[in-house]
Amino acid sequence: MNWLRTLLFALLLAAPVAALSPDEVLPDPVLEQRARDISAGLRCLVCQNQSIDDSDADLAKDLRVLVRERLVAGDSDEAVRQFLVDRYGEYVLLNPRVAGHTILLWIAAPMLLIAGLGTLFVVGRRRRVVESGLSAEEQAALDELR
């Protein structure tokens, strides 16, 4: 049982630590929750695929503070996001918006999947046609090799 306690303690130590420092936390829990929700969807421009809420980079801290300042000033969640997009570009969003200039991002993966499945289907059909077009002697030789 002692090993189990040691394992649980090690797992607790290995858990990711929030990068948010206590001086950043807003006193209003509703505003703080809104800030966390917004921060979770914003990309750290230094760390790339990490949200600013999880990053301990200086720029991420500045962005977290900026989000909280905008919320305290009375901006809506969308206004805060739009302010950051206007300032840093859409790359600051972890999930890009569906728009005319990002439509390729949204349709590329499904189209590649469909093309790959279509290719597998065509190759599979050709293989069956080749195998079924064998003479009896060729089929017997092929069965012997298998």
Side-chain angles (χ1 to χ4, degrees):
M1 255 353 229
N2 202 14
W3 64 269
L4 183 59
R5 256 187 266 158
T6 305
L7 178 65
L8 288 174
F9 184 69
L11 288 174
L12 275 173
L13 289 177
V17 177
L20 192 67
S21 61
D23 62 327
E24 295 177 44
V25 177
L26 294 172
D28 182 3
V30 174
L31 277 181
E32 179 60 30
Q33 186 57 49
R34 285 177 57 201
R36 295 258 178 141
D37 292 342
I38 293 169
S39 296
L42 297 174
R43 180 188 321 273
C44 173
L45 300 172
V46 176
C47 308
Q48 310 249 328
N49 283 335
Q50 194 175 22
S51 75
I52 64 170
D53 214 22
D54 297 332
S55 173
D56 59 352
D58 290 337
L59 180 60
K61 180 180 183 341
D62 293 343
L63 289 175
R64 287 192 302 267
V65 169
L66 183 62
V67 165
R68 283 163 175 76
E69 286 174 357
R70 302 296 299 188
L71 288 174
V72 169
D75 287 359
S76 68
D77 294 3
E78 189 53 38
V80 173
R81 283 187 197 93
Q82 190 58 49
F83 175 80
L84 291 168
V85 167
D86 291 344
R87 195 168 194 184
Y88 298 101
E90 283 201 33
Y91 185 72
V92 77
L93 301 174
L94 276 173
N95 294 319
R97 296 175 178 157
V98 178
H101 63 283
T102 60
I103 196 72
L104 184 61
L105 291 172
W106 290 101
I107 65 170
M111 295 303 285
L112 287 172
L113 178 66
I114 291 169
L117 291 174
T119 301
L120 287 174
F121 179 74
V122 168
V123 167
R125 286 192 58 146
R126 284 187 183 166
R127 184 172 285 166
R128 276 189 238 129
V129 169
V130 169
E131 286 182 9
S132 64
L134 299 176
S135 67
E137 294 171 1
E138 293 171 330
Q139 185 65 44
L142 181 62
D143 291 339
E144 190 175 306
L145 290 174
R146 289 186 188 174

